[in-house]
Amino acid sequence: MVTLEFMNQKFDELNELCFGGALPKVSIRLSKARTYLGQLGFKRKRPLFGKTQYYDFVLRISTRLEQTEEEIIDTLLHEMIHLYIASHQLKDSSSHGPVFRQMMNDLNQRFGRHITISHRKTKDELNQDTQRRQHLVCVSTLASGERGITIAAKSRLFLLWDQIPRIPKIVSQTWYVSYDPYFNRFPRALTPKVYRINASDLDLHLKAARPLVRQGRKIFIATT
């Protein structure tokens, strides 16, 4: 079980061991996020002259998926590299550019770690998230006959309802509300984005879904 006490203790230990105590103390928070294992947040200010400055760092660790202690430490180290680059105002070509990769490879070699650029969730990990929650699901049919889905953020429902039909090669859409945990694995969309999905999987997990209809600025569960 990941606790704040454990994460703060490990942060302090790794800061001294791996970074020579060069990292600033940050606020560490635990989350139930589905879309990341670790995340570094911060504020930025752009002075009239000089480099952009980063401050008020927050390090978030997701506890939704079960991980070993070694995996948690690798996730923490990944975010600590981001913290080092940002707090020291180092310039990199991208979030995981050459500077990040050099530091990652160095830590992996020196300390026998297995830090990676990204963590692709396995099928077993995705299936661990069985919590029931409401999903607003748009099923799109492509010109090729394939189908795709978009899980809309509630705050973007009307926006996506209007914009998804404008995506090229999409010929039709149907909206549903579902509480099937299967849809937990998809991120909630803020902008139009369609994920292709196996038709048999989709049909299986839409069995209990209710179709939605729209009348102006109101959306209802279809009665027929």
Side-chain angles (χ1 to χ4, degrees):
M1 180 67 70
V2 180
T3 65
L4 281 176
E5 181 181 7
F6 173 83
M7 296 308 301
N8 279 292
Q9 176 186 339
K10 287 301 176 184
F11 179 93
D12 291 340
E13 291 176 0
L14 295 169
N15 188 15
E16 292 297 328
L17 177 64
C18 301
F19 299 91
L23 299 182
K25 186 65 177 176
V26 298
S27 173
I28 298 179
R29 300 176 187 173
L30 303 182
S31 80
K32 292 291 186 180
R34 304 183 302 277
T35 56
Y36 63 80
L37 294 179
Q39 183 185 78
L40 178 69
F42 50 80
K43 296 178 182 178
R44 57 167 61 90
K45 58 182 177 182
R46 297 181 174 88
L48 187 59
F49 302 101
K51 295 182 178 179
T52 299
Q53 298 176 2
Y54 304 96
Y55 64 103
D56 280 0
F57 296 102
V58 178
L59 201 157
R60 301 180 179 90
I61 299 293
S62 176
T63 60
R64 179 168 295 280
L65 295 178
E66 292 183 9
Q67 298 183 76
T68 66
E69 182 174 330
E70 292 301 302
E71 290 171 333
I72 293 167
I73 291 174
D74 285 339
T75 298
L76 179 58
L77 281 169
H78 179 117
E79 302 310 320
M80 291 173 77
I81 296 174
H82 283 305
L83 176 60
Y84 184 95
I85 292 172
S87 63
H88 286 75
Q89 311 294 322
L90 300 182
K91 187 176 181 179
D92 208 352
S93 62
S94 65
S95 60
H96 297 115
V99 176
F100 181 96
R101 290 171 182 268
Q102 182 177 349
M103 294 185 65
M104 177 187 73
N105 292 335
D106 179 62
L107 291 179
N108 283 340
Q109 185 175 13
R110 287 167 55 206
F111 300 103
R113 303 308 314 176
H114 299 89
I115 310 164
T116 59
I117 295 298
S118 63
H119 176 86
R120 184 177 297 276
K121 296 177 183 177
T122 67
K123 185 175 181 180
D124 287 341
E125 288 175 326
L126 292 170
N127 289 337
Q128 285 179 26
D129 187 357
T130 59
Q131 182 177 346
R132 285 174 57 83
R133 60 175 67 88
Q134 185 187 77
H135 299 287
L136 302 169
V137 183
C138 177
V139 177
S140 299
T141 302
L142 285 68
S144 63
E146 295 176 287
R147 287 192 290 173
I149 63 170
T150 305
I151 310 298
K154 192 172 183 179
S155 62
R156 296 293 194 275
L157 178 57
F158 288 100
L159 175 74
L160 295 174
W161 198 296
D162 291 334
Q163 290 187 349
I164 288 176
R166 302 173 190 169
I167 298 177
K169 298 184 180 180
I170 289 183
V171 296
S172 66
Q173 305 79 38
T174 308
W175 283 87
Y176 299 89
V177 60
S178 172
Y179 291 86
D180 190 322
Y182 172 79
F183 296 110
N184 294 352
R185 66 192 62 201
F186 297 97
R188 297 193 177 227
L190 299 175
T191 57
K193 187 168 185 179
V194 177
Y195 295 87
R196 284 182 172 83
I197 187 171
N198 179 276
S200 59
D201 287 343
L202 179 60
D203 290 339
L204 174 65
H205 294 288
L206 282 179
K207 283 185 177 180
R210 303 285 299 279
L212 298 174
V213 294
R214 178 177 176 182
Q215 295 179 4
R217 294 298 294 176
K218 294 184 178 180
I219 292 175
F220 305 90
I221 294 176
T223 57
T224 57

